[in-house]
Structures are given as C-alpha cells and as structure tokens.
Amino acid sequence: MSSLEQTLSIIKPDAVDRNLSEEIKNEFKNNGFTIKQEKKVHLEKSDAEKFYLVHQSKPFYNDLCDYLSSGPIVVMVLEKENAVIANRELMGATNPSDAKEGTLRKKYGISIDKNSVHGSDSVINAQIEIDFFFKS
Ligand code: IDP
Ligand code: MG
C-alpha cells in the first residue's frame, strides 16, 4: 500500500553553513519529493529543546540542542508517496559512517552530531513536527 504523505525535513546548521541547502533541496526534488513549504529559521535554544524533547534523557541532549540552535536551518514540508520512510531511506543512518553510499548523510554528513539532515521518524511525529514549525 502506498499513500501520499508529508514529512518534516531539516537541513541542519552544518549543511546550511557549507552552502549545501540548494544542492540538498535538489536531492529531494530529484528523488520525487515536492517541497510544499519551506523556511529558513535560526532557533532559540529553548525551541530546540522543545523540538528534541523526546531525547531529553539522552547524554547528548544538551549538545544536540546547542547545535540545532547554533545557526540557521532550512525547514521543509516534503510530500511524496510514503514520504516518511522514503525520506529516512534517502537520509541514511544517523551516523554518516554507517550510512549507505548515495544517502544524504553519507554524502554530506561530517559526524553523528553534524549529520546534515533531520527527517521525521513516523507519520504521527511528522504531523507533530510540521505543526511545530508551520502551524500559525
Ligand atoms: P535520527 O536523526 O537519525 O532520527 P535520533 O536518534 O532521533 O536520530 O537522534 C537525533 C539526533 O541526535 C541525530 O540526528 C544526531 O544528530 C544526534 N545524535 C544521536 N545519537 C547521538 C550520539 O550518540 N551522540 C551525539 N549525537 C547523537
Ligand atoms: Mg530521530
């Protein structure tokens, strides 16, 4: 079964800082995603803490929130059949050194923390994350 879905994608500070935003957006378009909404933002740390609340018990939570709020990010709503899984596949494993050839994290990621892109991990979380950034 396939169904048209939306997912939330973030181009993280390391990739925006290296001027990779257009190249990464083209990766999404070339892989059949439509960019339905897009904005560039620089989060406050308190916003990053809310966004990553699910990770609050992890040892890397503070560094993760410092990092996500360290510079501008590009936030997008991507649409495609089975967009959530399709985007996770295109992104590759969390640690770029484990990511498969051709995936975004393999191509662009620097390290497990500076791994260039975020993607929602479920349809439910995609809606929560889309609302977080785009609900007026
Ligand atoms: P995901 O981004 O592949 O969904 P998550 O487990 O949800 O991975 O972790 C969120 C983010 O936290 C990752 O993208 C990565 O930047 C960071 N992260 C995950 N695990 C570690 C770790 O062990 N050390 C440092 N940062 C980590
Ligand atoms: Mg995750």
Side-chain angles (χ1 to χ4, degrees), residues 51-52 54-55 88 91 94 105 118-121 125 129:
F51 180 75
Y52 274 132
V54 62
H55 293 301
R88 296 290 302 191
M91 286 164 53
T94 304
R105 283 167 164 174
H118 165 86
S120 310
D121 64 3
N125 285 337
E129 293 178 358

Side-chain angles (χ1 to χ4, degrees), residues 8-70:
L8 186 92
S9 170
I10 301 177
I11 303 175
K12 293 185 177 182
D14 66 274
V16 175
D17 184 55
R18 286 175 287 149
N19 292 314
L20 292 169
S21 301
E22 288 307 313
E23 189 170 335
I24 292 176
K25 278 160 58 180
N26 283 331
E27 296 263 9
F28 291 123
K29 292 178 199 167
N30 293 340
N31 281 278
F33 292 89
T34 306
I35 300 174
K36 301 292 286 185
Q37 301 200 70
E38 176 188 344
K39 64 179 177 184
K40 193 175 197 176
V41 295
H42 188 158
L43 295 182
E44 299 288 341
K45 186 171 180 188
S46 58
D47 294 320
E49 287 169 346
K50 278 181 210 146
F51 180 75
Y52 274 132
L53 201 60
V54 62
H55 293 301
Q56 66 179 321
S57 64
K58 308 272 173 63
F60 57 83
Y61 178 64
N62 188 56
D63 287 346
L64 178 62
C65 297
D66 273 338
Y67 168 62
L68 193 69
S69 58
S70 67

Side-chain angles (χ1 to χ4, degrees), residues 93-105:
T94 304
N95 191 337
S97 64
D98 297 333
K100 286 189 192 142
E101 220 49 64
T103 61
L104 300 181
R105 283 167 164 174

